[in-house]
C-alpha cells in the first residue's frame, strides 16, 4: 500500500539564520528512514510519466522501488546506468519542471521527491561504497572533449565506458566548469564534483587543465594531434551588462566574476589570496538561479542588506521556486518590478546607490510573460555599495572565431542537429555553448546524445 | 606544474623567468599574455609574454614584484615550478602593414614593449624605441631593446642615464624633428599611456596601448577586465589587450585597477605591473608605495 501523504518527507536543512553565515551545504539530505518513507509515496505507474520528463531518462520508478526496499546500491546502479552525475543532479537539477512535474502524485499534493531520493542514493553510495573503478579496455580511438562542465563530463564518461581514449581540455586550473566556478558550495559541495572528476580519471579519462582551446590549440590542431572526434562543451561565456551609466564603477561585478571569486577562487576563506569587496548592501540585478546564488553568496560574505532587483514580478522569475524560497528565508529582500536606470558613484568612483524605475505588468510579450512597463517619473534610489549584474551571458567567441566551417547563430550559439553534430564533420557540441545559458541536466542530456553520436560516427568511419 | 628553467634579476624589483610551457611557446605572439597561479591559494595573475623559445619550449615572463603573487613568484628559483600557467591569451599585437613605428616603454612596461618592437623589426618596419625609467638603477633590457630597433632612446627622470626627461617629451621631440610615424605603441603605467596618447592625438597617429586590467579567467567569462573604449564596454582578455589609446577611458581603468587597494587582504599584484612601473607615473608610483606601506603596517 502506497504512502498516501500529500507532502514530501521534509528535507532537513540548516537553520536559515545559521546557514546565511556559512558556506556549508544548506540541504542536509535524507536519512535512510526518510528515504524509504518518501520512496513509498511512488505509485510505480505503468506509463512512467516521470521518465519522459528526464533529459537522461533515468528509470525513476525502478530506482525508487529499490530505495523503498532498502536496496540502495541497486538503486544506484539503476540511476548510473543513464546518469553519470547523480550526486550533482540530485542537488541542482530542476526536477520541479522535469521529472517531478510529470509525477501523478503532483496532481493532488506534492510530487514524489525524486531529486531528494536521487541525491540520497548518490550520497549513500559515496559514503558506503568504496568501489575501485577500473579502466575500460581501450578501443584505440581518441576523442577530445572541450570543457569540463556538465556536458563535457557526461560526454567523456559515456565515451570512456565505451572504450574511447578521452582527453578533456579545461581552460581553468580546476575541472568542473560551472559546477565549480558558478554553483556555490552551499548548494553543491565541490568535493562532490571532484569525486565525479576523480571517477572519470579512474575510468581512464585524461583531464588537461590550463588548456584553452582556441588559444593553446585550435580545433584543427586537435584533429592534427590524432583526435578523431571533438565535443565542444565550452559553456556560456561573456557576461552581459545592461549598458547603463555607472557599470564600470568600483563595486559593480558580473555574477560570473562575483561567483568565480567566491566559488573557484575561495575568496570567503582567509587561506586564499583572492580579494572580494566587503559589502554592506548589495543589489543583485536579475531573477534567475544565478542571481539567487549571487545574492545568497553576498549575504554569507557578511552584507547586511541584499536585494534582488528584478524588472518583472516574482511570478515571472525564472529562478527555481526552491531557490527563491531559500533566499527569502536567508533574509534576501526581493525588489521586483524595478528596473535599474543607472548606478550612482561616490567621488572616488565607488558605487553608492542604484537608481531604479518602478514597473507595472502590461500585456504578455513574446516570451508569454506579462511585459514590464515603466511607470514614468518613478525613479528612486536604493542605497547599495555593490551591484552584481546577473542578466545572462552571450556565447564565448574563442572556439567559433578560430574554427573554420563551424556554423553559429546570429547570437553566437553553435548550431547543431538533433545528434549534436555541428556543421563540421566529427565536431559535436552541447550545453550552453549551443543553447545559451540553460540548465545542468540539459547540458548533460546533450553530452549524452553527443557521446552516442560520436560513437556511431567513429564506428561508421571505420 | 611549469618548471622555471632560467631566472635573472633585471633590477632590484624586476625579475625575468623562462618557464617550460611548450604548447604556449609554440603559439605565443607578441602582445599576448599568460595567467599564472603560484600555488593552490594564489590568485590568477596575468603577465604579458616577453619572449618565447619554440625549440626549448619556454616562455619568458618579466615582472615586478608588487603584490602577493608576484612577490611569491620572485622568491622561486631555477628548478622550482609554478602550479598553473595558461595561455597564450588575448590577441597578438597588430603589426602588419606598418612601416615607421615608435615603440614606447615605461619602466617594466619595456618588457612588454620589447616583443612588439621585435615583431615589428623582424617584419621589416623601421622601429624607433623610447624607454623611460625613473633612474639609472632600474634600467632594464637595454641590450635586448637595442637589438630590435633602429634607434633606442633611453630617458631617465633624474637624468642619471640617457636623456633627462619623460618619454612624452622625447616622443614630442621626435615628432617635432620630422619623424612620420604611422604607429605608436605605448606600454607602461596607465598615466604614461594616457599622456602619450595625448601627444599623438593632434597628429592623428594611430596609437596602441596594452592594457592589463584586473582579470580572473582571461577567456571572456568573468567580465572583470572590462574597459571602456570609444564609449563601449570591451573585455581586455578577448577584445584586447591592445586598444586604440585615443579611445580608452584611462581614468576609469585606473580607478578599476585600484579596486582592492583599500582592503586588508588586498593582493597588490592586482595593481598590475603597469601601475607600479615607470616613473612617467611618479604620482601613481608614489600612491602605490603608500598603499604597500599601509599594507605592511597592517
Amino acid at each position: 500500500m502506497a504512502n498516501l501523504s500529500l507532502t514530501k518527507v521534509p528535507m532537513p536543512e540548516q537553520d536559515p539564520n545559521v546557514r546565511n553565515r556559512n558556506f556549508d551545504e544548506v540541504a542536509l539530505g535524507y536519512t535512510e528512514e526518510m528515504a524509504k518513507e518518501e520512496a513509498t509515496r511512488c505509485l510505480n505507474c505503468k506509463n512512467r510519466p516521470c521518465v519522459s520528463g528526464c533529459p537522461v531518462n533515468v528509470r525513476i520508478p525502478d530506482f525508487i522501488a529499490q530505495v523503498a526496499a532498502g536496496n540502495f546500491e541497486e538503486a544506484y546502479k539503476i540511476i548510473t546506468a543513464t546518469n553519470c552525475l547523480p550526486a550533482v543532479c540530485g542537488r541542482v537539477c530542476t526536477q520541479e519542471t522535469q521529472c517531478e512535474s510529470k509525477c501523478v502524485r503532483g496532481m493532488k499534493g506534492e510530487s514524489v521527491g525524486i531529486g531528494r531520493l536521487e541525491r540520497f542514493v548518490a550520497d549513500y553510495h559515496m559514503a558506503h561504497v568504496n568501489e575501485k573503478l577500473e579502466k575500460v579496455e581501450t578501443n584505440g580511438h581518441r576523442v577530445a572533449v572541450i570543457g569540463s562542465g556538465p556536458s563535457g563530463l557526461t560526454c567523456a564518461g559515456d565515451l570512456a565506458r565505451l572504450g574511447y581514449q578521452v582527453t578533456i581540455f579545461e581552460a581553468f586550473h580546476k575541472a568542473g566548469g560551472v559546477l565549480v566556478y558558478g554553483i556555490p558550495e552551499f548548494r553543491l559541495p565541490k568535493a562532490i564534483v571532484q569525486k565525479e572528476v576523480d571517477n572519470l580519471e579512474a575510468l581512464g579519462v585524461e583531464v588537461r587543465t590550463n588548456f584553452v582551446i582556441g588559444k593553446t590549440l585550435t580545433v584543427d590542431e586537435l584533429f592534427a594531434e590524432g583526435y578523431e572526434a571533438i565535443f565542444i562543451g565550452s559553456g556560456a561565456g561573456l557576461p552581459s551588462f545592461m549598458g547603463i551609466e555607472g557599470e564600470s564603477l568600483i563595486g559593480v561585478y558580473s555574477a560570473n566574476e562575483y561567483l568565480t571569486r567566491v566559488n573557484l577562487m575561495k575568496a570567503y576563506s582567509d587561506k586564499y589570496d583572492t580579494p572580494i569587496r566587503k559589502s554592506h548592501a548589495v543589489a543583485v540585478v536579475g531573477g534567475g538561479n544565478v542571481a539567487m546564488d549571487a545574492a545568497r553568496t553576498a549575504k554569507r560574505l557578511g552584507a547586511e542588506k541584499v536585494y534582488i532587483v528584478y524588472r518583472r514580478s516574482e511570478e515571472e522569475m525564472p529562478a527555481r521556486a526552491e531557490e527563491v524560497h531559500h533566499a527569502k528565508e536567508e533574509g534576501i529582500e526581493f525588489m521586483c518590478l524595478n528596473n535599474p536606470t543607472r548606478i550612482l558613484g561616490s567621488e572616488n568612483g565607488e558605487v553608492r546607490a542604484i537608481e531604479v524605475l518602478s514597473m507595472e505588468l502590461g500585456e504578455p510579450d513574446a516570451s508569454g510573460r506579462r511585459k514590464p512597463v515603466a511607470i514614468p517619473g518613478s525613479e528612486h534610489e536604493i542605497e547599495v555599495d555593490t551591484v552584481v549584474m546577473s542578466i545572462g551571458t552571450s556565447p564565448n567567441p574563442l572556439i567559433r572565431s578560430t574554427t573554420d566551417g563551424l556554423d553559429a547563430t546570429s547570437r553566437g550559439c553553435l548550431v547543431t542537429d538533433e545528434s549534436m553534430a555541428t556543421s563540421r564533420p566529427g565536431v559535436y557540441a552541447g550545453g550552453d555553448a549551443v543553447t545559451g545559458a540553460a540548465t545542468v541536466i540539459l547540458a548533460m542530456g546533450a553530452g549524452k546524445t553527443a557521446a552516442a553520436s560520436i560513437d556511431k560516427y567513429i564506428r561508421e568511419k571505420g | 606544474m611549469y618548471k622555471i628553467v632560467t631566472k635573472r634579476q633585471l633590477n632590484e624589483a624586476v625579475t625575468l623567468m623562462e618557464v617550460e610551457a611548450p604548447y604556449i611557446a609554440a603559439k605565443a605572439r607578441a602582445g599576448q599574455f599568460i595567467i599564472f597561479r603560484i600555488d593552490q591559494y594564489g590568485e590568477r595573475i596575468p603577465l604579458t609574454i616577453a619572449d618565447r623559445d619554440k625549440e626549448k619550449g619556454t616562455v619568458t615572463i618579466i615582472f615586478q614584484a608588487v603584490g602577493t603573487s608576484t612577490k611569491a613568484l620572485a622568491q622561486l628559483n631555477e628548478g622550482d615550478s609554478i602550479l598553473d600557467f595558461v595561455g597564450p591569451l588575448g590577441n597578438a599585437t597588430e603589426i602588419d602593414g606598418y612601416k615607421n613605428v615608435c615603440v614606447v616603454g615605461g619602466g617594466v612596461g619595456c618588457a612588454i614593449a620589447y616583443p612588439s618592437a621585435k615583431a615589428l623589426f623582424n617584419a621589416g618596419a623601421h622601429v624607433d624605441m623610447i624607454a623611460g625609467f625613473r633612474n639609472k638603477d632600474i634600467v632594464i633590457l637595454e641590450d635586448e631593446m637595442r637589438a630590435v630597433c633602429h634607434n633606442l632612446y633611453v630617458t631617465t627622470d633624474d637624468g642619471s642615464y640617457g636623456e633627462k626627461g619623460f618619454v612624452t617629451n622625447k616622443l614630442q621631440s621626435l615628432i617635432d624633428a620630422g619623424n612620420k610615424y604611422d604607429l605608436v605603441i605605448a606600454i607602461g603605467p596607465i598615466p604614461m599611456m594616457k599622456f602619450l596618447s595625448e601627444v599623438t592625438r593632434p597628429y592623428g597617429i594611430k596609437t596602441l596601448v596594452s592594457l592589463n586590467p584586473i582579470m580572473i579567467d582571461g577567456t571572456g567569462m568573468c567580465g572583470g577586465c572590462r574597459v571602456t573604449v570609444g564609449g563601449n564596454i570591451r573585455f581586455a582578455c578577448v577584445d584586447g589587450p591592445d586598444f586604440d589609446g585615443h579611445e580608452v577611458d584611462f581614468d576609469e581603468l585606473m580607478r578599476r585597477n585600484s579596486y582592492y587597494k583599500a582592503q586588508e587582504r588586498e593582493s597588490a599584484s592586482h595593481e598590475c605591473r603597469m601601475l607600479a612601473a615607470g616613473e612617467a607615473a611618479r604620482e601613481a608610483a608614489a600612491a602605490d608605495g603608500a598603499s604597500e606601506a599601509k599594507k605592511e603596517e597592517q
Side-chain angles (χ1 to χ4, degrees), chain A residues 231-303:
Chain A
F231 174 75
I232 303 173
S234 53
L238 312 171
S240 301
F241 289 89
M242 292 185 72
I244 57 174
E245 180 188 324
E247 284 184 303
S248 291
L249 287 167
I250 294 179
V252 182
Y253 289 95
S254 75
N256 274 2
E257 180 183 359
Y258 196 69
L259 290 171
T260 301
R261 281 184 183 278
V262 179
N263 299 330
L264 177 74
M265 306 302 293
K266 311 264 184 252
Y268 63 85
S269 162
D270 282 340
K271 272 198 276 186
Y272 290 76
D273 294 337
T274 313
I276 189 126
R277 192 166 175 83
K278 292 185 173 38
S279 312
H280 298 287
V282 181
V284 177
V285 179
N289 290 319
V290 177
M292 299 304 132
D293 285 346
R296 297 171 70 193
T297 296
K299 193 78 186 175
R300 283 164 172 74
L301 289 172

Side-chain angles (χ1 to χ4, degrees), chain A residues 171-173 181 208-212 214-218 221 225 237-241 243 247-254 256-258 260-261 264-278 347-350 386 396-398, chain B residues 2 23-24 27 32 35 37-44 68-69 83-92 214-228 233 235 237-238 252 255-256 258-260 262-267 270:
Chain A
F172 265 131
H173 52 261
Y181 76 72
R208 303 191 68 168
T209 53
N210 294 323
F211 219 107
V212 185
K215 288 290 178 187
T216 316
L217 282 182
T218 62
E221 286 163 334
E225 289 223 335
L238 312 171
S240 301
F241 289 89
E247 284 184 303
S248 291
L249 287 167
I250 294 179
V252 182
Y253 289 95
S254 75
N256 274 2
E257 180 183 359
Y258 196 69
T260 301
R261 281 184 183 278
L264 177 74
M265 306 302 293
K266 311 264 184 252
Y268 63 85
S269 162
D270 282 340
K271 272 198 276 186
Y272 290 76
D273 294 337
T274 313
I276 189 126
R277 192 166 175 83
K278 292 185 173 38
E347 275 171 21
N348 55 3
E350 301 202 23
T386 305
N396 192 302
L398 287 184
Chain B
Y2 301 81
Y23 279 101
I24 306 175
K27 269 295 179 62
Q32 292 187 294
I35 285 181
R37 197 171 67 121
I38 188 98
D39 59 28
Q40 63 161 324
Y41 301 116
E43 287 188 73
R44 293 171 61 93
T68 311
S69 286
L83 181 60
D84 298 302
F85 201 82
V86 57
L89 302 169
N91 300 310
I214 291 170
M215 206 174 266
I216 302 179
D217 62 305
T219 62
M221 192 277 283
C222 81
C225 67
R226 62 192 186 276
V227 288
T228 302
I233 289 181
F235 293 165
C237 65
V238 290
E252 175 190 290
R255 271 204 311 273
R256 285 185 60 80
S258 66
Y259 205 154
Y260 297 105
Q263 285 200 15
E264 185 182 22
R265 219 155 37 83
E266 160 213 22
S267 175
H270 267 281

Side-chain angles (χ1 to χ4, degrees), chain A residues 118-160:
Chain A
E118 181 182 36
R119 169 185 162 152
F120 167 78
V121 169
D123 289 359
Y124 180 91
H125 175 81
M126 272 196 198
H128 293 90
V129 181
N130 195 11
E131 62 178 342
K132 282 264 179 293
L133 286 173
E134 297 203 355
K135 284 190 184 174
V136 181
E137 197 178 331
T138 173
N139 63 16
H141 295 286
R142 295 171 72 205
V143 178
V145 169
I146 304 170
S148 61
S151 72
L153 292 178
T154 305
C155 186
D158 279 14
L159 287 168

